[in-house]
Structures are given as C-alpha cells and as structure tokens.
Amino acid sequence: MCKKGGTILAESVKDIIKQLIMSESIYHPLTDEEIAQTVSVLRETVTGIRKELNIPSSRERRKKNIQDAIEVIKNDQPNIAISHLVNILTSQGFEVTRNYIADIVNKNPAGQNQTGVMQTAPAAETVDFSALVGHNCSLVKNIQQAKAAVLYPPYGLPTLIVGDSGTGKSKFAECMYQYAKNKKILAEKAPFIALNCADYGDNPQLILSILYGHRKGSFTGADQDAEGLVERANGGILFLDEIHRLPPKGQEMLFSLLDKGKFRRLGETDTEREARVYFIGATTENIESSLLLTFRRRIPMIIELPRLEDRSLQEKAQLIYDFFQNEANRTKCTIAVKSRILSAFAMKEYDGNIGQLKSEIQVTCANAYVEKMNSGKNEINIGFNELLYNTLFHDKQNSGKRRNSAIVFQDTLFVPHITTTKIQHEYPIFEDIYKKVEKKYYELKEMDISSSEIEKIIWTFVLNKFKLIGSELAENKNLDNIDEFKYLVGETISEIIKDFFVVISNLYPDVKINKKVLIYLAIHLSEAIKRIKYNQDIINPNLLNIKRNFENEYTIALQLAREVEKAENIDIPEGEIGFIAMYVKELLQVTNKKNKVAIITVCHGKIASEMIAIVHQLMGVDFPIAVDMPFNTNPTKVFEQVIEIAKTFESDMGILFFVDMGSLVNIGEVVQKRTGIKTRTIDRVDLVSVMEAVRKAYISDQNSQETLDDIYYEIINSRHSYPVIPVENSNKPPMIICMCLTGHGVAVHINDILSEYYPNVKRELLSLLDEELKLKIDKIRQQYNLIAIVGTINPQIEGINFIPFEFELNKNKKMLLDYLIKQQHGNTLKNILREDLILLRENFQTKQEVIEALGSVLFNHGYVKKQFLQSLTAREEMSSTCFKNGIAIPHGLPSLVNESAVVFIKLNQYIEWDNHKNKVNLICLPAVKNDDISIITDLFYSLKREEVVKQLLKARNESEFIQVLCLNSKNNMV
C-alpha cells in the first residue's frame, strides 16, 4: 500500500513539474533549483524527472525559445543586422547580449542546412504564423505558446485561446493547424473540425449530439446512429469557438477525451470510443466564471490575444493595407485610396476589433465598386466624402475630430495579384528610454568593467540618445501638433504637455522651442506612468551627473513632474525626473540639429583625459570622449570598453578615433569589424587636430554636414604640404595622371601600382618636361574627370589634386585617392538600388499584371506621380520594350519622376511580352530623372551581358541580386 501511495506521489510530482515547465515564461525558463524550491523536493529529483520526460535544461529551453524568435524575425527580415535583431529580442522581453545572439546566428544561419548550403523553405511554411500581422512583434509570445502546445508530445497540449470578439481567435487556431501540418505533427490531409458553440447555445441536447454523435433512440428524433464532430476530428484538430456556451454536461464529457482520448456517443453506456485529437477552444468570456474549474484544470495552455487597440499603430496600419489589398485581389480591380481614408481607418476605435475593421473596409470597397460600375471606369476610387465619413468615422475618432494619424499616409494604389502592400511611411516610433538604459546597463555589468567606467559609458549613451531625438523628428514636418498623439498618450498628458509648452515658452522667450521633442516627452511620460503604477524599477545611473550638469533643466523637470503627480495621483521618483530633465535640455536645443560624427580619443596613460578636458573647457562641448589606457592594462580590455562605447552611437555618420601609438593604431578597424560602424583612425594625436575635428563636427554651421571622410582627410591633409581639392560630380570617366620627369621612369612604376588598385580607372603617363604638358592636361579634362596627378614633382597646375609619390603609395595616400574617386560619382545605379524594390519569385501571368504591379510599387513609395503609370502604359502601346536575354525594360516619362529608382521583378515562369511572341521572366522598370540618365547606361551595360543575367536569375535573395548588379556595373571601379 505504501509503495502504491509512493508511486501516486511520484506521479503527482512528475505532473506538477511538467505543468510548471509548460507554463513557464519563454523569456525566463525555470531552473531545476527554482522548480525544486516550488515543489519542495531535491534539485536532483527535478533533474532526474526532467530527463525522464526528455525535457531539456532551462538554458537549452531558453536558447530554443530565442532561436524560434530569431526564426520568426528572420522570416520577415532575412538580412537583419545583429544589432537590430538584439533590439527586437530585447523589446520582446528576452535578456540577451550582442555576442550571445551573434554566436547563435553564426552557428545556425537561417535557411542553411548542416553543409552550409542555402535551402528554400517549403511553400507551405508561409501559410502558418508568418501570415499573421504582428507575428514578429505583438503576437510573438502567443505564437511561442502555440508552437509549444502543438509540439508537446505525444498529442500536444489542450489549448484555450482567449480574447475579445474580432481579435482573430479563429484565424490563430487555423495557423496552429497549418503549423502542425508543416512540422509533420499532423498528416497533410488531417481534418480541422470547427464548431461555434454559440450557434446551438439554446439547445444543449442538440449541441452535444453534434459534438459527440448519438445512438439510435437516445432521444426523440434519433432515428439512426450518427457520428459526431469528435470522431470526424480524429487525427486532426477539434476547434470549439465560443466554448463558454458549451453546457456543463458537455464540458464534463470532454474530460475523458482530454484525459484518455476516449468518449461516448449520447445514449451509449457500455461502449467507449477512441479519438486522437488536438483540442483548441476559444472564448470571449472570463474563463474563471464561464468554465467549470475541473474543465479549466485540464487545459494547461491559455493564449490571450491582444485587442486591436492594444497592438502597435504599425500593425493596425498594416492590417488596413492588407484588407484593401485583399479586396483588390478579390475584385480584380485596382483600388486607389486617398491618404485621408487610410488615416481615418487608422484613427478609428473598433469595438469589434480586427473583424469590424475588415468588415468596414469591405463595405467601403463595395460602395466604391458600385460607383465604378456606374461610371464605367477601370479603377475603384475611394476618396474622402461626407457620406463615408458620417457613416463610418463620425462617432469613433479617438479625439472626436478629424485629423491626421501618427503614421504619415499617402495616396496608395492596391493592384490585384500582389500578396501584400507594406507600410513605407511611418513616424519614428518611440523606443522606451528605460529599456535602452537597462539593456546597456546589464550588458556592461556582464563584462569586467568597473562601476565608474560603466557610469561614464552610460552617461555617454544617454547624452547620445537624447541628441538623436530632435534630429529624428525634425525630418518629419507633419508631427508638430501634440493633439495628433492624444490617442496614444491620453487626454491628461496631452493637456499637461500643452500647458508645459506655454510655461517653458514664457521662461525662455528668446529661445525657439523644439516643439517636436514634446511628442517624445509626451509618450515618455505615458510610459513612465505605466511603469510607476506597475511598480517597475526606473534605473537612472546618471542622476548625479544630470543634477550637476543640467541643474536648471532639472528644476523645470521637477515642476512638470509635480503636475503629472497631481493629475495621475502617483509619486514620481528622482530617477524619472532626471530623464525628464534630459528631455527639457533637448527641448531647448535648435531644431535643425543633425546627427554628427562621433570623436573618441584613446591614449596611453592619462593623456586622453587631460587633452579632452582642455577641449571641453575651451570649446564648451560635451564631446568628444576620452578613454585612458593605463600602461599595465591588457589592450584587449580597453578595446572591449571602446567597442561598448562605440555601440552607444547609433549613427551612420561614423566614428573618428584619435590615438597615440602602438596597438591602438588598429582600434578603428577592430571597432568597425565588431560593430559595423564606419571608422577612421588618426595616430600621433595632438590637441590642435582634436580641436579642429570638434569644431567641424559639433560647432560649425548647423546647416552644413561634414562627413567622416571630410573631417578625416582635411586633418590628414593639414599634416602634409599638398592641398586637397574637391572633385566635381561628373558622368565623365575618371582618370589619374602618373608623372615623373621623363614620363618613362617612376611614372611607369606608379602606373603599375595604380593598375592593381584601380583597374577600371583610366591612367595616363606624362612627363614634367613636356612643353605641351598643360595643353595635354586641358584636352584630358575635356574628355575625363581628372581625379589627381600622382608623381614625384608637383607641376603646380591650378584646380588639380597632386599626391606626392616617394617609394610607395602609403595607406593614407591610397585612402585619399579612394575618397577622391568616390567623390566624382553622381547618382549611380548602386545609390538607388533598394531591396524593397526587388521582387523575386513572383507569379504574375500577364504583362498587364506586371506593369500595374511595377507602377504601384513606385507610386506607393513616392518615387513617381500617378500620371507616370499612364505614361508607362502609353509607351507600351507604341512599341515593344523587350530587350534581350529574356528581359523587358518598360519605362515612363522622366518628367513624372519625383526621385530616381529602379524596380525589378523576377518571375517564376516566362510570360509573353509583345505581339512578336517574345517571352520574358525578368522585368526592369527604371524611373529616372533627366539628371540621372547615366543610370540607364550603367543598367544596360549589365543587362546586355548574358552571364550577368544568369547570375541575377540565380540570386537567392534581394541583397544578392543587388550585389550581382553592382559588381558588374560599368561604374564599379573601386
């Protein structure tokens, strides 16, 4: 008896451990020690049971969860950078470092098998969770839960999907079904049996009969035996929607099915039937009050889907785009939607969530379709009119009045046969400053860096983040009014911020307040209130620095905090007031500030700190940054510290390093390799050079923008006796003159060296003693863009760069030549190629479908005017645009192009292009302005070569496609 009781106890512990692991957070899986403490058993017992159940360790489970999350993200963004990947994972709730994620990605690159050969995912994979809007954002946790439920042996976990009406519960259940088939958990033809219990809620007897079947004579009207849905679902999924309408008896009858895979038909007492089903239920009700406790206990996986209003604005906008695209595909008509309509749909509150949004878009399209039929036009036009506004939007606008939404919509064409239309014009979504600081803080804590150094790095990080705020929002001129964000931050914060603007304007009447920063401040305050109310910590390691350096801003922030405290009945901690002070500081900055080149000085001893202290004092700037390297310190430790500092600069402007000597000379290359940030390094640092770089980067005219190369070469140039003359942009081919006294001595050696570095740059050998030297150079300049003269003696010819040559072309001189050659290019093919304009593996059947798709892509991105599409069609009617090698190059009028761009479509099969029966499977649409006509020449140069076309057709992704074009372009010189 004791033995039997012990067995029961062991089984009970095993079940508890299994349930704990299955319900654990995907972000923080439970360790064996944590489980042991919860269950009150030894850790060794937990480990043994876990291994018996074939459940991996917490570390392995966490890694698997992260790998799954990465897979979801990479399905949507195949070429995502590691840093961006880390940011997304962190925002989802994973605590990860850059190195950890880099190791996972590099050891198991997405899409590769064990031999490293890229494989294409099965087509069926695209129809499960990746088809859901928000699969890599708001639904990540839900999808991870669903996958765990489906994959759990032997027959998955019973699952309940909870959410308001219209949140997409049925669609989510279908995705679970498709995922199970994709993973071979279910057979390809496995059934998906769905029943909406609400349809029979008033007839409990009928619903039980439909669900379980019945025996002949079991009730009046039961004239013969009948199978139920449970039997039909055998080997597949049984989905019960509105399961709260299933009567208690029906819930109890499910116990046996869930526990043992057995059930009885109505009227049967002796016969037990078997069915292996994956069970999924869905409800809009509170499960605590609507379902039996004994039933709830048998459903370990609860998946709660978010309301539409709780999802991000981008997701809501993408749903709007998708639903309009679906209607275009259904009606086989192009649908033109005005920006105000898209904005109005995005602004509206939907009590019925996604379902209501979809229905109202269908109604809108149906009404416009009737107008299209009456007018005889080929296009459905949906413009803003009072009838539509009063019908759909009048009572449900978040602010109660018409205005633009936070996403900057534009007029959009939805063309049939395109699967989806991605949002292109978005406002810069606020990224929680707390998460940024916490993430950086914990990253640094993991490294062997002292507290004082961490504080210094975090201080630099915070300063940088706030310096970026104004420049990000300054690029968008539609976001001046805080009212436009009322739906996001609430009425109270909106009014407080507007009052605060009046106060600060009166305090600083002579300062032009950067109103756009108010938007970020408003959103930040709404996030702060949530954190405080949910008792979440606010980490601000730099509070003392803020109080010391920005005393006035802190005082103003304190006043604003008191107003928020009164309105929201909360206490705002000092750390949060410090963050508000940083917003106040940014609020008072000039509005046209641009992102700047970062400057970091790294030297042995304390030279860097002492030098930068003088720069701060004399020039009144917060930057550059000093990093001291004690003589007895391992250089690797300093390099790691500098890399962490470099990561705080999320800038495409690059970093300029000043170093003194030794191993530090290579620090720029190391940082660039590890972070991907462009760097330049100047050795033999001196105070004058650093001050000149600071002047150019931080103090010069705000409207000018010195690049990293500009600053680097000007400082390098100041150390030499020869000046650097800017090279004009030109479509002429570039040339370098190799010169010595005779033109046959050192000039030949120079030519040999340059031919290796620049094989595609024309070179000419000239003699300094040639009496017609200037005449020959003038003739050269008529035909070529003269980059520089490289030689032994300066001929002193005005307007031409001279680079002295001694025994070799050293690193600095070669970098200068690289810079000059790149300077001479105008807008090139490489400049305008974009991955989102490369459409691979498309299934268009006709030329008209392709033309409409190409034109809509350009129009929806804002590259062309709508009339460009008409000119495109008109040009096709004139004559064939079939080129060669199975390529077509349709084109429209340059005068209707806003910005030069090129779109490519690669078809899965050939289509007939013209009356001559020419067939194509690669279509290129160049939309170029008159000034960029040289792009066409460059394009033709690549596309006329059969071997290049073959490479393009074999390209596995968009980046590889662009790489092939660029490597084979006429202007690929350096």
Side-chain angles (χ1 to χ4, degrees):
M1 191 72 183
C2 291
K3 184 177 180 181
K4 183 178 179 181
T7 302
I8 293 172
L9 181 61
E11 289 299 317
S12 174
V13 170
K14 185 185 295 185
D15 289 341
I16 292 172
I17 290 173
K18 184 166 71 172
Q19 290 291 337
L20 282 172
I21 292 175
M22 291 314 304
S23 60
E24 70 186 359
S25 166
I26 63 171
Y27 311 111
H28 304 286
L30 296 170
T31 65
D32 289 355
E33 182 63 36
E34 289 171 334
I35 295 173
Q37 291 177 5
T38 302
V39 185
S40 299
V41 297
L42 295 175
R43 182 179 63 81
E44 290 76 12
T45 303
V46 175
T47 303
I49 291 175
R50 178 175 56 74
K51 289 180 177 179
E52 179 185 340
L53 294 171
N54 292 320
I55 298 175
S57 67
S58 60
R59 183 177 300 176
E60 291 168 332
R61 297 199 302 276
R62 178 176 180 270
K63 184 176 182 180
K64 179 63 169 59
N65 293 339
I66 293 171
Q67 287 173 330
D68 289 344
I70 291 173
E71 180 185 351
V72 170
I73 296 167
K74 277 186 163 284
N75 281 340
D76 195 48
Q77 304 177 62
N79 302 309
I80 187 172
I82 295 294
S83 58
H84 191 196
L85 187 59
V86 171
N87 288 339
I88 293 177
L89 291 170
T90 304
S91 68
Q92 291 175 0
F94 291 104
E95 292 181 5
V96 293
T97 64
R98 182 187 176 91
N99 291 338
Y100 181 78
I101 297 303
D103 286 343
I104 291 179
V105 171
N106 292 333
K107 287 177 181 176
N108 184 30
Q112 292 193 3
N113 61 18
Q114 291 181 349
T115 62
V117 178
M118 184 69 70
Q119 295 180 324
T120 303
E125 291 289 348
T126 61
V127 297
D128 55 39
F129 297 111
S130 60
L132 296 175
V133 172
H135 69 273
N136 60 349
C137 194
S138 66
L139 299 181
V140 166
K141 180 180 178 181
N142 306 119
I143 291 171
Q144 295 282 5
Q145 289 178 296
K147 288 182 176 180
V150 168
L151 297 176
Y152 194 78
Y155 305 128
L157 290 176
T159 299
L160 186 62
I161 305 173
V162 181
D164 289 356
S165 175
T167 50
K169 297 183 292 297
S170 297
K171 177 70 173 176
F172 195 87
E174 290 171 7
C175 288
M176 291 179 68
Y177 168 65
Q178 293 294 347
Y179 179 76
K181 290 201 298 181
N182 290 339
K183 293 297 182 182
K184 311 301 182 186
I185 302 296
L186 295 179
E188 182 59 36
K189 294 185 179 180
F192 179 85
I193 303 300
L195 173 67
N196 191 322
C197 300
D199 293 343
Y200 307 94
D202 296 330
N203 193 331
Q205 184 84 6
L206 180 58
I207 193 174
L208 295 180
S209 172
I210 291 172
L211 189 58
Y212 301 107
H214 60 263
R215 183 178 178 180
K216 180 180 177 180
S218 58
F219 57 86
T220 303
D223 299 329
Q224 58 185 11
D225 291 347
E227 71 173 9
L229 297 183
V230 170
E231 285 175 83
R232 290 172 54 193
N234 186 31
I237 284 181
L238 175 65
F239 174 54
L240 301 185
D241 199 2
E242 304 292 350
I243 197 172
H244 58 276
R245 299 296 296 274
L246 188 66
K249 182 179 179 181
Q251 295 179 37
E252 290 172 350
M253 290 177 71
L254 279 173
F255 293 175
S256 179
L257 180 67
L258 297 177
D259 293 342
K260 305 174 184 177
K262 296 182 179 181
F263 70 100
R264 288 189 175 96
R265 292 179 180 178
L266 288 183
E268 290 182 337
T269 55
D270 301 328
T271 305
E272 265 196 333
R273 301 174 184 270
E274 293 188 0
R276 172 193 156 190
V277 298
Y278 284 75
F279 176 79
I280 304 175
T283 180
T284 57
E285 302 300 310
N286 183 337
I287 62 174
E288 301 292 332
S289 57
S290 62
L291 298 176
L292 296 175
L293 175 62
T294 46
F295 180 60
R296 296 200 310 269
R297 285 176 177 172
R298 287 171 164 84
I299 304 181
M301 186 61 75
I302 309 294
I303 300 175
E304 185 171 359
L305 296 184
R307 297 182 309 125
L308 180 57
E309 294 307 311
D310 292 333
R311 297 174 69 168
S312 72
L313 191 61
Q314 291 96 331
E315 289 182 17
K316 188 175 181 182
Q318 189 60 58
L319 286 165
I320 293 167
Y321 274 72
D322 286 353
F323 292 148
F324 271 114
Q325 185 61 57
N326 291 342
E327 295 310 301
N329 295 342
R330 181 192 300 188
T331 60
K332 295 182 172 57
C333 295
T334 296
I335 301 177
V337 187
K338 290 292 184 182
S339 60
R340 289 188 67 192
I341 290 292
L342 296 171
S343 178
F345 273 113
M347 292 287 295
K348 184 177 176 181
E349 291 179 343
Y350 296 92
D351 296 333
N353 292 288
I354 298 173
Q356 182 186 351
L357 171 63
K358 181 179 180 179
S359 297
E360 293 192 357
I361 288 176
Q362 288 178 332
V363 170
T364 302
C365 292
N367 290 333
Y369 186 81
V370 173
E371 293 180 12
K372 175 244 180 201
M373 296 293 290
N374 293 334
S375 66
K377 293 180 180 178
N378 296 323
E379 186 176 273
I380 299 176
N381 284 287
I382 301 177
F384 203 94
N385 59 65
E386 289 303 313
L387 177 62
L388 179 63
Y389 177 76
N390 290 329
T391 303
L392 294 180
F393 307 123
H394 184 65
D395 297 326
K396 289 292 184 178
Q397 294 293 295
N398 285 340
S399 68
K401 57 184 178 182
R402 292 181 237 173
R403 65 179 193 279
N404 293 328
S405 66
I407 286 186
V408 184
F409 290 99
Q410 65 177 33
D411 296 351
T412 303
L413 286 177
F414 297 92
V415 177
H417 322 296
I418 296 179
T419 55
T420 186
T421 303
K422 295 296 182 185
I423 306 165
Q424 300 300 333
H425 301 272
E426 302 172 3
Y427 78 99
I429 290 298
F430 174 81
E431 187 180 353
D432 191 350
I433 190 66
Y434 306 117
K435 290 181 180 177
K436 294 178 185 177
V437 172
E438 287 173 6
K439 174 190 168 189
K440 180 58 62 178
Y441 178 77
Y442 288 119
E443 275 184 8
L444 296 172
K445 287 277 284 184
E446 289 181 9
M447 304 175 64
D448 187 20
I449 298 178
S450 67
S451 298
S452 60
E453 290 298 326
I454 288 177
E455 185 176 334
K456 185 190 298 184
I457 294 173
I458 292 287
W459 178 237
T460 303
F461 177 73
V462 170
L463 285 175
N464 248 321
K465 288 298 176 187
F466 281 94
K467 282 180 179 292
L468 289 174
I469 289 175
S471 58
E472 286 176 358
L473 279 172
E475 294 174 1
N476 198 324
K477 297 177 181 177
N478 296 313
L479 303 178
D480 283 329
N481 193 345
I482 191 63
D483 273 340
E484 302 208 358
F485 283 78
K486 191 182 297 182
Y487 81 97
L488 198 59
V489 302
E491 185 84 27
T492 303
I493 292 298
S494 175
E495 293 303 318
I496 288 175
I497 288 297
K498 285 194 287 187
D499 292 342
F500 177 65
F501 173 68
V502 174
V503 170
I504 203 167
S505 297
N506 291 333
L507 284 174
Y508 296 91
D510 298 327
V511 175
K512 185 177 181 181
I513 305 297
N514 186 350
K515 291 195 291 183
K516 292 183 174 66
V517 178
L518 286 171
I519 294 169
Y520 264 142
L521 176 56
I523 301 174
H524 172 85
L525 285 174
S526 69
E527 292 295 319
I529 291 167
K530 290 177 190 174
R531 276 195 164 237
I532 293 167
K533 287 183 176 180
Y534 290 132
N535 295 318
Q536 292 178 310
D537 292 334
I538 292 179
I539 297 176
N540 192 341
N542 302 118
L543 182 60
L544 293 178
N545 275 326
I546 293 171
K547 284 184 170 182
R548 182 171 58 249
N549 293 299
F550 308 121
E551 182 179 351
N552 192 40
E553 289 86 348
Y554 186 85
T555 302
I556 296 172
L558 191 58
Q559 296 173 12
L560 175 59
R562 296 295 172 256
E563 293 298 320
V564 176
E565 286 178 335
K566 284 190 291 184
E568 296 288 342
N569 193 27
I570 58 174
D571 292 323
I572 297 180
E574 273 197 317
E576 167 53 30
I577 298 171
F579 282 127
I580 298 174
M582 296 300 295
Y583 281 99
V584 173
K585 175 182 177 292
E586 189 60 32
L587 197 66
L588 301 174
Q589 300 296 320
V590 292
T591 58
N592 62 345
K593 178 173 58 183
K594 297 178 180 178
N595 207 357
K596 300 297 184 182
V597 174
I599 300 173
I600 301 177
T601 304
V602 190
C603 298
H604 292 80
K606 295 187 177 182
I607 296 174
S609 293
E610 293 171 355
M611 187 180 294
I612 298 309
I614 296 173
V615 172
H616 289 172
Q617 185 176 358
L618 293 180
M619 307 189 78
V621 292
D622 298 322
F623 291 87
I625 298 163
V627 178
D628 293 326
M629 176 178 168
F631 288 102
N632 60 349
T633 299
N634 187 330
T636 303
K637 183 177 179 180
V638 175
F639 275 45
E640 290 297 328
Q641 180 182 340
V642 172
I643 288 168
E644 287 305 313
I645 293 175
K647 289 178 184 177
T648 67
F649 297 100
E650 293 183 0
S651 160
D652 57 359
M653 294 301 293
I655 302 174
L656 178 60
F657 284 100
F658 284 96
V659 301
D660 51 0
M661 59 183 180
S663 58
L664 294 178
V665 173
N666 301 317
I667 198 163
E669 294 178 8
V670 173
V671 169
Q672 183 165 335
K673 185 176 180 180
R674 290 278 295 275
T675 66
I677 300 172
K678 183 177 179 180
T679 66
R680 295 289 193 195
T681 305
I682 297 176
D683 58 4
R684 293 175 293 151
V685 60
D686 62 82
L687 181 60
V688 174
S689 296
V690 176
M691 291 180 69
E692 178 62 11
V694 170
R695 185 188 68 77
K696 290 180 177 297
Y698 302 115
I699 301 177
S700 59
D701 181 9
Q702 292 286 346
N703 293 317
S704 66
Q705 188 163 3
E706 299 259 12
T707 67
L708 174 62
D709 283 343
D710 290 335
I711 299 172
Y712 172 79
Y713 286 115
E714 286 179 35
I715 292 176
I716 289 294
N717 179 46
S718 68
R719 295 183 173 189
H720 302 284
S721 58
Y722 49 91
V724 176
I725 301 167
V727 177
E728 64 175 339
N729 289 339
S730 172
N731 291 324
K732 296 177 185 177
M735 174 179 276
I736 300 173
I737 291 176
C738 309
M739 184 179 290
C740 66
L741 278 175
T742 64
H744 303 293
V746 178
V748 175
H749 181 50
I750 295 172
N751 181 60
D752 291 341
I753 293 174
L754 295 181
S755 66
E756 292 182 15
Y757 288 129
Y758 313 109
N760 295 317
V761 178
K762 183 80 173 175
R763 298 168 304 282
E764 186 75 21
L765 280 66
L766 293 180
S767 166
L768 186 65
L769 302 176
D770 192 329
E771 293 180 357
E772 297 183 344
L773 178 62
K774 289 191 177 182
L775 181 61
K776 288 181 178 181
I777 289 177
D778 286 340
K779 287 182 178 180
I780 287 172
R781 295 177 77 174
Q782 290 175 15
Q783 293 181 284
Y784 297 93
N785 193 13
L786 189 51
I787 303 299
I789 297 172
V790 181
T792 53
I793 302 175
N794 191 347
Q796 301 291 335
I797 298 177
E798 186 178 352
I800 298 178
N801 283 298
F802 174 74
I803 299 177
F805 182 89
E806 294 167 357
F807 302 107
E808 60 180 356
L809 194 67
N810 64 33
K811 182 179 178 181
N812 283 343
K813 291 175 183 176
K814 182 187 179 300
M815 289 173 71
L816 177 56
L817 261 179
D818 290 349
Y819 173 64
L820 294 174
I821 290 171
K822 287 176 182 176
Q823 249 192 351
Q824 71 99 28
H825 291 306
N827 206 1
T828 65
L829 181 61
K830 184 177 180 180
N831 298 145
I832 66 171
L833 289 174
R834 286 179 42 168
E835 290 187 12
D836 53 354
L837 299 184
I838 310 295
L839 309 179
L840 305 179
R841 297 174 292 279
E842 297 295 329
N843 290 311
F844 297 112
Q845 303 295 319
T846 67
K847 171 182 175 178
Q848 185 61 30
E849 291 177 7
V850 172
I851 293 293
E852 289 178 349
L854 288 167
S856 68
V857 167
L858 287 172
F859 176 74
N860 292 340
H861 282 75
Y863 289 111
V864 298
K865 299 177 175 64
K866 192 175 181 182
Q867 295 89 329
F868 181 86
L869 280 67
Q870 298 165 5
S871 75
L872 187 62
T873 303
R875 173 62 187 83
E876 285 301 311
E877 293 173 353
M878 293 170 60
S879 62
S880 175
T881 54
C882 192
F883 185 51
K884 58 189 299 187
N885 299 323
I887 301 173
I889 307 182
H891 47 279
L893 293 176
S895 58
L896 299 173
V897 175
N898 299 323
E899 181 183 347
S900 293
V902 179
V903 190
F904 280 90
I905 286 183
K906 187 172 76 172
L907 300 176
N908 288 329
Q909 58 187 19
Y910 284 88
I911 63 170
E912 194 171 287
W913 193 257
D914 54 27
N915 295 330
H916 303 293
K917 308 295 184 182
N918 288 315
K919 293 190 174 183
V920 301
N921 65 337
L922 183 62
I923 300 94
C924 166
L925 173 54
V928 297
K929 304 176 76 172
N930 285 319
D931 295 342
D932 294 327
I933 209 68
S934 62
I935 292 172
I936 301 294
T937 306
D938 206 6
L939 198 58
F940 275 38
Y941 178 83
S942 297
L943 297 181
K944 70 182 181 181
R945 296 156 62 193
E946 187 176 356
E947 68 275 13
V948 175
V949 175
K950 287 180 179 178
Q951 292 179 49
L952 291 173
L953 294 175
K954 290 180 181 178
R956 295 166 295 184
N957 52 52
E958 292 82 359
S959 62
E960 188 174 318
F961 190 97
I962 291 175
Q963 186 179 22
V964 170
L965 272 177
C966 293
L967 288 174
N968 292 281
S969 69
K970 194 172 184 179
N971 286 325
N972 180 38
M973 291 174 250
V974 182

